[in-house]
């Protein structure tokens, strides 16, 4: 797989509605979009890093810096024969997994297009409808939240996840249970709690939640293990699962019973396959997370979600919840059965609409071999 050129763009898209988590309120996304070229074929990737270092240490600016200065020079020309070789080619660069993932995933898309196969087949899986869940932000009132949950259930989503933080945890869960009964429900704290706050989390054991996602610090497996020992509800880790070693440590320590896989957070598809295989061997349920990606990142997520270890609905929602219009056309849609079809065709099956991409792009740079 000779790589003739890599193009980076900073793309800015406003969100349909603001999304509030324990770490802040997001009203748009500003991300690095990657195009990797071989002759006329193009592979696409989307970096999940945000402008602010709140979900993780990486940002749009650090991703740009590390890609342009270190990662792209190591992948241009004939330096790698296959996307599987990229992690080793980049091993000298510590961390920066989001930057690596965007380039690596674009290279996988390119490889699949060159073989004229859907990405899911290159991964050893086959297209299947992907059960969709929805991630709902912190709302100004309980009434507004309960209404929003009702609207999403009416769209067909198969599980509801709400964002929580200290002071917004028991009451919203109780309100949803009262209004909507025993719907599949989980909460995501994005690392907002300390072990000292355990009482607020053990109080959630009364509500039959599917799981509590990432209550403690982004880097803290040991305290998650102590917390899990005090909870009947399963913990799921997101931020803490940086790769296969962290996943193995988390399972060995008992820090979680469920894993949220985000290739964009873990360094890409090779890391995802490793965590997937580990979790399957150990009988650990997986689901595919989301990072408010445009249709490019979301199409990658759908193809990856076809792997057999993804046994729970993911944060894989319709384009219209995030961006109108999306960068891709047709947009990603959820069927009345609460499942999303995998985009058919070679690679990830979608490309950005040129006019829309141009209108959303604020900076570009091209690197050629
Ligand atoms: O923690 O899963 C998270 C969005 C941005 C950053 C982190 C997270 C999220 C979401 C939304 O929960 C997932 C999505 O719908 O794309
Ligand atoms: Mg999360």
């Amino acid at each position: 797989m000779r790589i003739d050129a890599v193009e980076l763009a900073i793309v800015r898209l406003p969100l349909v509605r603001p999304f509030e988590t324990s770490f802040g309120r997001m009203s748009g996304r500003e991300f690095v979009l990657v195009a990797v070229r071989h002759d006329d074929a193009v592979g696409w990737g989307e970096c999940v890093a945000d402008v602010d270092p709140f979900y993780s240490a990486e940002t749009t600016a650090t991703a740009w810096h590390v890609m342009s200065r270190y990662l792209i020079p190591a992948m241009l020309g004939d330096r790698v024969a296959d996307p599987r070789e990229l992690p080793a080619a980049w091993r000298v660069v510590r961390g920066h997994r989001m930057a690596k993932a965007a380039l690596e995933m674009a290279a996988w898309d390119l490889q699949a297009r060159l073989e004229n196969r859907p990405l899911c087949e290159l991964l050893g899986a086959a297209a299947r409808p992907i059960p969709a869940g929805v991630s709902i932000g912190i709302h100004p009132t309980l009434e507004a939240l309960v209404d929003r949950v009702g609207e999403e259930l009416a769209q067909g989503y198969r599980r509801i996840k709400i964002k929580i933080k200290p002071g917004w945890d028991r009451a919203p869960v109780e309100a949803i249970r009262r209004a909507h009964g025993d719907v599949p429900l989980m909460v995501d704290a994005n690392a907002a709690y300390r072990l000292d706050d355990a009482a607020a989390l053990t109080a959630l054991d009364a509500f039959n939640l599917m799981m509590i996602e990432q209550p403690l610090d982004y880097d803290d497996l040991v305290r998650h293990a102590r917390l899990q020992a005090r909870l009947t509800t399963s913990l799921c880790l997101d931020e803490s699962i940086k790769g296969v070693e962290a996943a193995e440590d988390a399972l060995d320590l008992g820090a979680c019973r469920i894993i949220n896989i985000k290739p964009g957070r873990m360094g890409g598809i090779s890391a995802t396959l490793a965590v997937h295989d580990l979790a399957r061997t150990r009988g650990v349920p997986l689901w595919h997370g989301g990072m408010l990606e445009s249709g490019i990142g979301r199409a990658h997520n759908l193809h990856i979600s076809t792997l057999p270890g993804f046994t729970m609905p993911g944060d894989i929602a319709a384009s219209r919840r995030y961006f109108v219009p999306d960068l891709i056309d047709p947009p990603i849609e959820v069927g009345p059965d609460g499942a999303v079809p995998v985009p058919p065709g070679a690679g990830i099956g979608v490309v950005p609409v040129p006019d829309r991409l141009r209108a959303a792009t604020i900076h570009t740079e091209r690197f050629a071999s």
Side-chain angles (χ1 to χ4, degrees), residues 55 161 163 188 190 213 238-239 260 262:
Y55 169 87
K161 154 169 147 181
K163 294 292 188 179
D188 184 2
N190 287 111
E213 183 179 344
D238 171 356
E239 283 90 329
N260 167 344
K262 293 178 181 173

Side-chain angles (χ1 to χ4, degrees), residues 2-7 35-44 110 366:
R2 188 192 72 241
I3 295 176
D4 300 323
V6 177
E7 291 155 12
V36 176
R37 292 185 180 273
H38 172 96
D39 288 336
D40 291 338
V42 187
W44 295 94
L110 176 62
R366 179 184 164 88

Side-chain angles (χ1 to χ4, degrees), residues 19 23 26 55 135 161 163 188 190 213 238-239 260 262 290-293 298 315 321-322:
F19 185 73
F23 59 75
M26 301 165 79
Y55 169 87
S135 176
K161 154 169 147 181
K163 294 292 188 179
D188 184 2
N190 287 111
E213 183 179 344
D238 171 356
E239 283 90 329
N260 167 344
K262 293 178 181 173
M291 292 288 288
L292 309 179
E293 291 96 336
R298 208 159 286 281
D315 280 344
R321 295 194 71 249
Y322 308 92

Side-chain angles (χ1 to χ4, degrees), residues 45-359:
E46 173 171 346
C47 185
V48 299
D50 188 44
V51 172
D52 302 309
F54 299 162
Y55 169 87
S56 77
E58 286 187 80
T59 67
T60 307
T62 69
W64 184 283
H65 166 66
V66 171
M67 286 181 196
S68 56
R69 181 129 175 202
Y70 303 101
L71 305 179
I72 294 172
M75 73 191 291
L76 282 173
D78 290 314
R79 287 179 178 79
V80 295
D82 185 282
R84 289 177 180 82
E85 296 173 14
L86 285 168
W90 292 332
R91 193 170 293 143
V92 64
V93 176
R94 302 288 185 243
H96 296 283
R97 294 172 195 255
M98 293 178 173
K100 291 172 177 172
L103 291 165
E104 192 242 35
M105 292 165 79
W108 277 90
D109 180 31
L110 176 62
Q111 181 68 38
R113 290 181 199 264
L114 292 172
E115 295 181 24
N116 197 25
R117 297 165 76 193
L119 177 61
C120 59
E121 286 183 25
L122 199 57
L123 304 180
R128 63 174 170 105
I130 303 302
V134 74
S135 176
I136 300 178
I138 293 167
H139 275 58
T141 65
L142 294 175
E143 294 70 35
L145 174 71
V146 164
D147 289 350
R148 170 102 263 144
V149 170
E151 285 160 28
E152 304 296 5
L153 290 170
Q155 296 285 311
Y157 289 105
R158 295 201 197 168
R159 71 96 167 103
I160 299 293
K161 154 169 147 181
I162 62 163
K163 294 292 188 179
I164 59 166
K165 64 178 181 180
W168 178 266
D169 39 36
R170 190 193 163 101
V173 168
E174 212 167 16
I176 291 169
R177 281 283 179 250
R178 201 175 312 118
H180 299 294
D182 210 25
V183 296
L185 179 65
M186 59 175 288
V187 296
D188 184 2
N190 287 111
Y193 293 80
R194 312 280 313 253
L195 195 52
D196 288 347
D197 306 320
L201 299 166
T202 55
L204 299 177
D205 274 339
F207 296 97
N208 189 33
L209 297 177
M210 299 166 80
M211 70 197 88
I212 300 172
E213 183 179 344
Q214 195 73 39
L216 306 180
D217 206 15
Y218 77 102
D219 220 4
D220 193 343
L221 295 178
V222 170
R223 284 165 196 77
H224 276 107
R226 289 189 195 140
L227 178 62
Q228 180 69 88
R230 294 168 63 177
L231 287 168
T232 55
T233 310
S234 292
L235 290 182
C236 168
L237 292 178
D238 171 356
E239 283 90 329
S240 290
I241 307 296
K242 299 183 170 70
V244 70
E245 294 82 6
E248 198 170 11
D249 292 349
L251 297 179
D252 287 346
L253 284 165
C256 66
R257 298 185 196 135
I258 300 171
I259 292 175
N260 167 344
I261 284 196
K262 293 178 181 173
R265 174 197 73 220
M266 302 195 303
I269 287 176
S270 288
T272 295
L273 294 172
V275 174
H276 171 270
D277 294 350
L278 170 79
R280 254 194 124 200
T281 305
R282 300 231 190 166
V284 172
L286 295 177
W287 55 278
H288 202 303
M291 292 288 288
L292 309 179
E293 291 96 336
S294 81
I296 295 296
R298 208 159 286 281
H300 273 282
N301 295 349
L302 284 165
H303 279 267
I304 291 161
S305 298
T306 61
L307 290 164
F310 289 92
T311 52
M312 304 179 91
D315 280 344
I316 304 245
S319 294
R320 71 161 63 92
R321 295 194 71 249
Y322 308 92
F323 309 108
V324 177
D326 201 334
L327 280 184
I328 61 165
D329 187 46
I332 284 161
E333 302 213 71
V334 176
D337 60 343
V340 183
V342 175
I348 58 172
V350 300
V351 295
V353 176
D355 287 350
R356 294 182 190 168
L357 177 56
R358 231 182 335 267

